[in-house]
Amino acid sequence: MEHPHELTATESRAWDRPVVTVPVLVCLSLVGGQLPSFSTSANLYTLGTGGALIWLGLGNRVPRRPAPRRLGPGALWWVLPVAVFGVLEGATFVLATGDDFPTFSRLADPLLEDELVRSAAWFAWLAAFWGLVRR
């Protein structure tokens, strides 16, 4: 007799375990943190790592985690400030001339002068992107 709600366990690949992926993300972050902000090499590195993660996410190379079934009613209150921030950031980027209304990335630039802080920001970005790839 078959059970419709039977759970099956899939074997994870060796390279997909946190003991492998975290050090890889740390190494990528350390390399990205050494590149100067807004330089051509930093932009190419960002496009390369982001493109590789998009390629992994769109293919069936990475085992997927189950997505949440439905967002709760409180999710709208989290989307609202993010959307307002995104609209203001985009409008400031497109419409502002000079440093009268700097974008968030320009305001964060003094913090990102330190290579260790920049590497930590890279790690946060890569870890968040890796979480999206796994969905």
Side-chain angles (χ1 to χ4, degrees):
M1 174 178 253
E2 291 186 33
H3 299 282
H5 299 291
E6 187 174 315
L7 296 175
T8 58
T10 58
E11 183 179 335
S12 64
R13 298 176 183 147
W15 60 268
D16 192 38
R17 296 187 179 135
V19 73
V20 176
T21 56
V22 170
V24 168
L25 293 180
V26 167
C27 289
L28 290 172
S29 301
L30 290 174
V31 171
Q34 299 301 312
L35 301 173
S37 292
F38 301 108
S39 66
T40 303
S41 57
N43 289 338
L44 290 175
Y45 189 72
T46 302
L47 290 173
T49 54
L53 288 172
I54 289 172
W55 177 69
L56 285 172
L58 292 176
N60 289 328
R61 294 164 189 81
V62 178
R64 306 268 188 233
R65 291 184 192 154
R69 294 176 190 227
R70 186 172 169 249
L71 294 175
L76 178 64
W77 294 109
W78 285 102
V79 172
L80 182 65
V82 170
V84 168
F85 174 76
V87 167
L88 288 175
E89 181 77 5
T92 303
F93 181 74
V94 171
L95 300 176
T97 58
D99 290 332
D100 295 336
F101 298 101
T103 60
F104 182 73
S105 58
R106 289 288 180 193
L107 291 174
D109 208 31
L111 292 173
L112 297 175
E113 290 292 325
D114 183 32
E115 294 171 353
L116 186 60
V117 174
R118 197 165 46 240
S119 292
W122 261 95
F123 182 77
W125 179 72
L126 287 172
F129 211 156
W130 180 249
L132 290 175
V133 165
R134 295 289 313 270
R135 289 278 174 199

